[in-house]
Amino acid sequence: MKNAASLIYRIVVALIIAGIIAGAQYLIAERWNRGTEFVGAANSIHGYAYSPYQREQNPLQGIYPSDAEIGGDLDLLAQSAEHIRTYGSLETPAIVPLALDRKLTVMAGAWIGPDEERNAKEVDAVIESARKYSHVDRVIVGNEVLLRGDLTVKELAVHLDKARKALKRSKKTVSTAEPWHVWLKNPELANSVDFITVHLLPYHEGVPVENAVDYALMRYDELVKHFPKKKIVIGEIGWPSRGPVMDSLGGGDTKGVASAENQARFIREFLAHPRSATLDYYIMEAIDQPWKIEIEGWAGAYWGMFNADRHQKFALDGLVVKDVRWHDKARTAGLIAFLPMFLIAFFLRDWSVIGRLWLASLVQACAATLVIGINVPADYYLTQRDLIGLAMLIGATVLTIAVLLSHGFEFGEVLFKRKWNRRFLPLPPHDADKEPFVSIHLACCNEPPEMVIATIDSLAAMKYQNFEVLVLDNNTKDEALWKPLEKRCAELGPRFRFYHLDNWPGFKAGALNFGLRQTDPRAEVVGVVDADYVVSPDWLSCLIPHFDDAEVAVVQAPQAHRDWETHPFRRMCNWEFDGFFRIGMHHRNERNALIQHGTMTLVRRLALDDVGGWSEWCICEDTELGLRLIEKGYDTRYVDHILGRGLTPADFPAIKSQRFRWAFGAMQILKHHLPAMIGPSRLNLAQRYHFLTGWFAWLGDALQLVFAFASLAWTVGILFYPKAFGLPVTSLAIPILAFMAFKAGLGPILYRRTMDAPWKDILGASILSVGLAHAIARGVFAGLVKRRGEFVRTPKGWKDKGTLAFFSPLREEIGLLVALVLGGIVLVLQRGYDDLEVQLWVGILALQCVPYLASIACQVASYMPEAEPAKALASSSGGTAGQAG
């Protein structure tokens, strides 16, 4: 009964938490989408400029609407207008007879272009239609022909004269349509028309929407003054709901901004104006025409009063909302997020309520962003190139969400979990006569002998009695490097054995497998220590007792460093490494999903033999071994207690080389073990989660490199082919930028929460982590493509630092940085910075620059001089690396 009540209580709490977050998301969406009040339009609409093509149809590709589709359009338009204007007579001739059935008067158009043979057919077709149908009251021969430069005034006049002569007896009047400035520039054109058809589109001239109606009427009056004997018909007047910001053609600071709100405002104000009832006009246009993007650019598709799905964009009175589909989007996002939010609230009962609310909120935000991205094709008319760009952005969004949620879970567990369920501490040592025999393997290659001897001496000084040490020198050619090691082992007695291996295969794993064959048969545990690590005297004595549990295969202590305090770059390395062992390893240890590392690791000998020893195909043999042991069902333990310290990588190129190797090896492991991670195996769900998401961040670095190259390519397209390449979708770009910024902030907060480090060092560790992104990305791609890698030794310690030129190791990073910066600068110079889409794209390019700027900062730090010991001690007073119990 008690268990049932507890279950009911947890379900109710989970439902309340999920409901609170879903409801809050809905209220936020409602507030964001709160409508704007504009003047209502009392007058009906005189006429529409009408093109009949459906969403996926395109006259440029020969894809035309059916008679039924045209009839449906005309039924829709006849509800609010009595007149329509068409643009051509050959491609969709059914418009005219179908309009008769709906009692719509038609101002019929003949499309005129550079092809004179087709022009003649168009004129003949419109003449025939006007003669046949009485409801065709006027004819328009050519639309913006002079504006495009397809024909001269004299050439156009030939077609106009032909139509006027042919229709004279039927009393049908003839004109051509041009913007106001073309009429003023070519006044002689008026001699060839019966009336003037003008286009008044203030958006194209960069007129702000609040002044646009008055501006349009001013230009109308200007034409009336110049052509007092001609009737003026407004062939197009309107405003687009989407499009780039247009600069003022008059050289002023004003801008024409395309938006749904501005379109509604312009149309409503024009229709409500006292003069509109006296004007002969056609709203530009009836229905959005997505195909026009190819010839008119981004705004060309969005002039319609109805969208391409034939839904009215806004009412002619009442509030105007930003997104008429926001209710559906908010509802969908809530439904997607509800189950994971419920599961978070139900299963993470060892988290505080605030923590569960926080993670549930993050899930809801991610779901909302995903819904926005998925709905972009419904909200925008995208070309194939746009769809490629959208796929890039959605891919980046999905990856960012995956990384963000995995980091968010880790963040929440560190901050909000009440206690660790699997927290292992150093144990009391065995009595000397009950100590299991331990074989310690120290593999080295081309290492400074004094560094390795310091490690050997620290092993000799351990308090443990029952052990041996095998020093495995692997392929060192210079006798001056390995002979001193052989001598020191001989001095320390028979428990220290030295082996020099020439031309030995298998990298470090090959040397370790050789060591297994030389291991004393009494050994119950095999220890591996890196060549630069000075171990604590109680390393074995306090960890070996964990092997009393027969299920334990691995006992791991954290990596830590020495001699880092006096140099800026070594400080960055120390704290960057330390973050994983203070945060990530606890997170993984909680679910028996450790990343085993070959620094001071202890492995049960029987378990090591059971899985076949070290894998020589993998250059990260330690992590790969740990995964195989976990797949076998063994237990692994992490004891967060410093039991040895090594040296940091010598400089930035050294740590780049190390991370390249780690990323390469991680991809080898991922490819090899993927069937076990996603298919049948003994791995539980939590272990699969940790090993898959553990590589998300590195895969994210790889895709960030792809995204950087794609962003550069898209920027080139925007600059040189603006009609084909649009700027990013605002509704999707903003969440990506917000997520990237949010993700960047998680790391420093976790560092500050879990480590007693000064903010200066937290910043340095964060910069190093970001600065390694390019090296990791290259390692990921190399590991995905290649089967075998090369184990490259990581130089350790400042004494090993070479004299490489400063810029040589950063050629690729600097090249990408320069390209991204130049792309942003040229885009701003060409488009201006007032356009929100330009600002967002420049923001995306700027974020792409961060890893490359960070890499330069790391290189600068590695070249900085040593600090004085007293000053270094003072700056480290906030804490020392990893003193966790």
Side-chain angles (χ1 to χ4, degrees):
M1 190 73 178
K2 184 177 179 181
N3 289 338
S6 175
L7 179 62
I8 293 172
Y9 172 77
R10 288 168 56 195
I11 291 173
V12 169
V13 170
L15 287 172
I16 290 173
I17 290 175
I20 288 172
I21 300 302
Q25 180 255 176
Y26 196 84
L27 291 175
I28 291 170
E30 182 177 24
R31 184 173 182 83
W32 172 83
N33 205 58
R34 181 175 294 172
T36 304
E37 185 74 58
F38 296 122
V39 61
N43 300 327
S44 62
I45 294 173
H46 175 78
Y48 288 110
Y50 171 61
S51 294
Y53 303 99
Q54 304 287 315
R55 188 184 187 103
E56 304 301 330
Q57 294 170 353
N58 188 335
L60 303 177
Q61 299 173 3
I63 306 173
Y64 304 107
S66 66
D67 289 0
E69 289 169 333
I70 294 173
D73 286 350
L74 296 178
D75 287 334
L76 181 67
L77 302 184
Q79 296 174 19
S80 55
E82 298 178 353
H83 308 272
I84 62 171
R85 174 204 168 180
T86 65
Y87 290 87
S89 294
L90 290 177
E91 292 175 343
T92 52
I95 295 176
V96 173
L98 290 171
L100 176 62
D101 298 336
R102 278 80 179 173
K103 298 181 180 180
L104 288 169
T105 301
V106 179
M107 184 164 72
W111 186 261
I112 300 297
D115 185 345
E116 287 288 25
E117 182 178 350
R118 181 176 176 82
N119 291 342
K121 293 179 180 179
E122 278 278 354
V123 173
D124 289 342
V126 78
I127 290 172
E128 180 182 354
S129 180
R131 283 173 171 172
K132 183 176 181 180
Y133 295 103
S134 61
H135 68 294
V136 177
D137 61 344
R138 291 180 293 215
V139 167
I140 303 295
V141 177
N143 184 73
E144 298 184 348
V145 176
L146 301 184
L147 179 67
R148 291 192 305 273
D150 289 346
L151 299 179
T152 65
V153 172
K154 289 183 178 181
E155 291 169 335
L156 178 59
V158 172
H159 298 293
L160 288 167
D161 292 342
K162 176 182 177 181
R164 293 175 73 194
K165 182 178 180 180
L167 296 173
K168 185 174 182 180
R169 293 185 63 183
S170 61
K171 298 183 179 180
K172 303 290 178 76
T173 54
V174 177
S175 181
T176 190
E178 295 286 351
W180 62 269
H181 64 277
V182 174
W183 284 106
L184 295 179
K185 184 179 179 180
N186 303 279
E188 67 275 19
L189 181 62
N191 298 326
S192 300
V193 299
D194 298 315
F195 62 96
I196 289 174
T197 305
V198 63
H199 293 171
L200 299 173
L201 305 171
Y203 163 76
H204 281 315
E205 300 178 56
V207 178
V209 70
E210 58 269 21
N211 303 328
V213 171
D214 289 338
Y215 178 86
L217 293 176
M218 178 193 73
R219 293 304 185 187
Y220 176 89
D221 291 338
E222 193 172 356
L223 285 179
V224 170
K225 182 179 178 180
H226 276 78
F227 304 102
K229 296 182 180 180
K230 296 286 186 180
K231 176 179 174 60
I232 308 294
V233 174
I234 303 174
E236 292 180 356
I237 186 166
W239 197 275
S241 57
R242 302 189 192 278
V245 174
M246 302 299 291
D247 292 324
S248 171
L249 294 181
D253 295 331
T254 60
K255 306 285 183 181
V257 179
S259 71
E261 288 179 294
N262 284 352
Q263 183 183 44
R265 177 174 182 172
F266 179 86
I267 296 296
R268 284 191 181 187
E269 289 183 357
F270 174 73
L271 294 178
H273 198 281
R275 293 184 60 185
S276 68
T278 66
L279 298 176
D280 196 340
Y281 66 87
Y282 296 83
I283 294 293
M284 174 63 186
E285 64 186 314
I287 300 167
D288 282 351
Q289 298 294 297
W291 65 274
K292 289 187 178 180
I293 292 177
E294 296 184 36
I295 57 174
E296 295 182 12
W298 185 20
Y302 297 98
W303 289 85
M305 291 278 285
F306 299 87
N307 66 23
D309 298 318
R310 276 51 184 172
H311 298 143
Q312 189 170 348
K313 293 182 181 178
F314 56 88
L316 293 180
D317 56 18
L319 293 175
V320 176
V321 296
K322 293 182 176 71
D323 185 353
V324 295
R325 298 174 56 240
W326 76 270
H327 286 94
D328 293 336
K329 293 177 184 178
R331 193 179 302 113
T332 302
L335 290 173
I336 291 173
F338 190 83
L339 179 59
M341 289 193 300
F342 174 81
L343 296 175
I344 286 168
F346 184 81
F347 285 108
L348 299 182
R349 58 186 184 277
D350 54 350
W351 285 31
S352 69
V353 172
I354 293 176
R356 283 179 278 177
L357 281 169
W358 179 85
L359 188 57
S361 300
L362 189 59
V363 168
Q364 182 66 77
C366 292
T369 301
L370 191 59
V371 167
I372 289 171
I374 292 171
N375 275 274
V376 165
D379 295 335
Y380 292 79
Y381 312 125
L382 306 178
T383 65
Q384 287 186 340
R385 284 177 290 266
D386 291 332
L387 287 171
I388 292 171
L390 176 64
M392 281 172 43
L393 284 173
I394 291 181
T397 303
V398 171
L399 177 68
T400 304
I401 285 173
V403 174
L404 188 68
L405 289 178
S406 64
H407 285 194
F409 180 61
E410 182 177 312
F411 180 94
E413 190 155 56
V414 170
L415 292 184
F416 304 115
K417 191 178 179 73
R418 294 187 179 96
K419 68 173 184 177
W420 295 108
N421 298 314
R422 278 172 49 97
R423 187 184 181 198
F424 300 108
L425 300 173
L427 296 177
H430 290 112
D431 294 335
D433 59 342
K434 295 181 180 179
E435 291 178 342
F437 191 85
V438 180
S439 181
I440 300 170
H441 299 173
L442 192 165
C444 56
C445 175
N446 291 314
E447 303 286 3
E450 64 276 9
M451 182 182 78
V452 184
I453 289 172
T455 300
I456 294 171
D457 287 345
S458 71
L459 295 170
M462 289 189 302
K463 297 175 182 177
Y464 205 83
Q465 300 300 316
N466 205 17
F467 73 94
E468 67 174 358
V469 175
L470 308 184
V471 178
L472 310 167
D473 183 76
N474 180 18
N475 296 317
T476 301
K477 303 302 180 184
D478 187 353
E479 289 190 359
L481 296 179
W482 63 264
K483 280 291 185 180
L485 309 183
E486 182 179 45
K487 178 182 177 183
R488 184 55 180 156
C489 287
E491 292 171 352
L492 290 171
R495 68 163 55 173
F496 285 80
R497 289 186 278 157
F498 178 84
Y499 297 91
H500 174 66
L501 307 176
D502 256 337
N503 299 317
W504 199 260
F507 311 116
K508 183 178 179 179
L512 293 175
N513 280 332
F514 172 84
L516 284 178
R517 294 192 289 272
Q518 314 306 318
T519 295
D520 191 308
R522 296 174 295 161
E524 297 181 39
V525 176
V526 172
V528 177
V529 63
D530 277 354
D532 61 306
Y533 263 72
V534 173
V535 304
S536 173
D538 56 351
W539 171 42
L540 295 184
S541 59
C542 70
L543 294 188
I544 290 298
H546 282 280
F547 287 98
D548 291 346
D549 184 339
E551 297 298 317
V552 174
V554 174
V555 179
Q556 185 80 64
Q559 288 188 20
H561 299 94
R562 65 183 191 276
D563 301 332
W564 53 268
E565 295 90 344
T566 59
H567 193 271
F569 179 74
R570 295 201 300 276
R571 294 184 71 93
M572 295 168 72
C573 288
N574 173 76
W575 292 109
E576 195 269 344
F577 276 96
D578 204 50
F580 176 72
F581 293 98
R582 299 285 78 72
I583 302 168
M585 285 291 271
H586 282 283
H587 194 53
R588 289 172 162 275
N589 182 59
E590 189 74 352
R591 295 165 190 86
N592 188 28
L594 289 188
I595 290 288
Q596 185 182 8
H597 51 97
T599 302
M600 299 168 49
T601 188
L602 298 170
V603 187
R604 188 183 296 275
R605 172 67 186 275
L606 289 177
L608 188 53
D609 290 340
D610 185 28
V611 297
W614 304 91
S615 293
E616 298 182 19
W617 56 267
C618 182
I619 61 175
C620 288
E621 73 294 326
D622 43 6
T623 302
E624 197 278 335
L625 172 65
L627 180 53
R628 273 188 290 136
L629 290 168
I630 292 171
E631 287 174 357
K632 274 282 189 176
Y634 286 106
D635 188 24
T636 61
R637 293 186 177 182
Y638 176 63
V639 179
D640 191 4
H641 192 80
I642 302 301
L643 294 168
R645 297 179 184 274
L647 299 174
T648 66
D651 51 23
F652 187 56
I655 197 171
K656 279 182 61 179
S657 173
Q658 182 192 65
R659 292 305 163 88
F660 177 91
R661 174 168 60 85
W662 289 0
F664 188 106
M667 295 306 103
Q668 287 182 306
I669 296 168
L670 179 61
K671 290 189 296 184
H672 189 83
H673 288 270
L674 190 60
M677 291 189 211
I678 63 176
S681 74
R682 295 183 66 175
L683 292 175
N684 60 39
L685 185 61
Q687 290 167 335
R688 295 168 195 252
Y689 164 81
H690 279 295
F691 278 102
L692 287 171
T693 61
W695 288 307
F696 270 5
W698 285 2
L699 289 170
D701 288 332
L703 287 179
Q704 192 277 333
L705 182 59
V706 172
F707 197 58
F709 277 111
S711 298
L712 285 171
W714 203 265
T715 302
V716 171
I718 292 170
L719 294 173
F720 294 98
Y721 307 100
K723 289 186 178 180
F725 292 84
L727 284 156
V729 175
T730 303
S731 56
L732 189 57
I734 287 177
I736 289 177
L737 290 172
F739 272 8
M740 288 179 173
F742 183 66
K743 174 180 170 289
L746 287 182
I749 294 173
L750 274 178
Y751 269 58
R752 187 63 176 174
R753 176 67 176 80
T754 56
M755 297 187 298
D756 191 14
W759 275 110
K760 177 180 69 174
D761 288 318
I762 291 174
L763 178 61
S766 301
I767 290 172
L768 178 59
S769 177
V770 174
L772 290 168
H774 185 71
I776 290 170
R778 293 182 71 251
V780 166
F781 286 121
L784 289 173
V785 173
K786 298 181 180 179
R787 289 190 59 189
R788 299 187 65 84
E790 181 179 354
F791 190 101
V792 179
R793 166 184 166 270
T794 303
K796 299 289 183 69
W798 71 99
K799 295 180 181 177
D800 212 27
K801 183 176 178 180
T803 56
L804 292 172
F806 179 89
F807 293 104
S808 179
L810 302 176
R811 289 190 301 268
E812 295 177 3
E813 289 93 330
I814 292 174
L816 284 166
L817 175 63
V818 170
L820 289 165
V821 170
L822 285 177
I825 291 173
V826 174
L827 182 61
V828 170
L829 292 175
Q830 185 185 90
R831 297 287 189 92
Y833 197 64
D834 293 328
D835 190 335
L836 177 60
E837 282 74 24
V838 171
Q839 295 171 9
L840 288 172
W841 191 250
V842 171
I844 288 174
L845 293 177
L847 279 176
Q848 308 288 332
C849 294
V850 171
Y852 312 119
L853 289 169
S855 66
I856 295 173
C858 293
Q859 183 74 329
V860 170
S862 68
Y863 270 74
M864 293 177 71
E866 296 278 340
E868 296 179 13
K871 292 182 179 179
L873 182 61
S875 66
S876 301
S877 60
T880 56
Q883 295 294 339

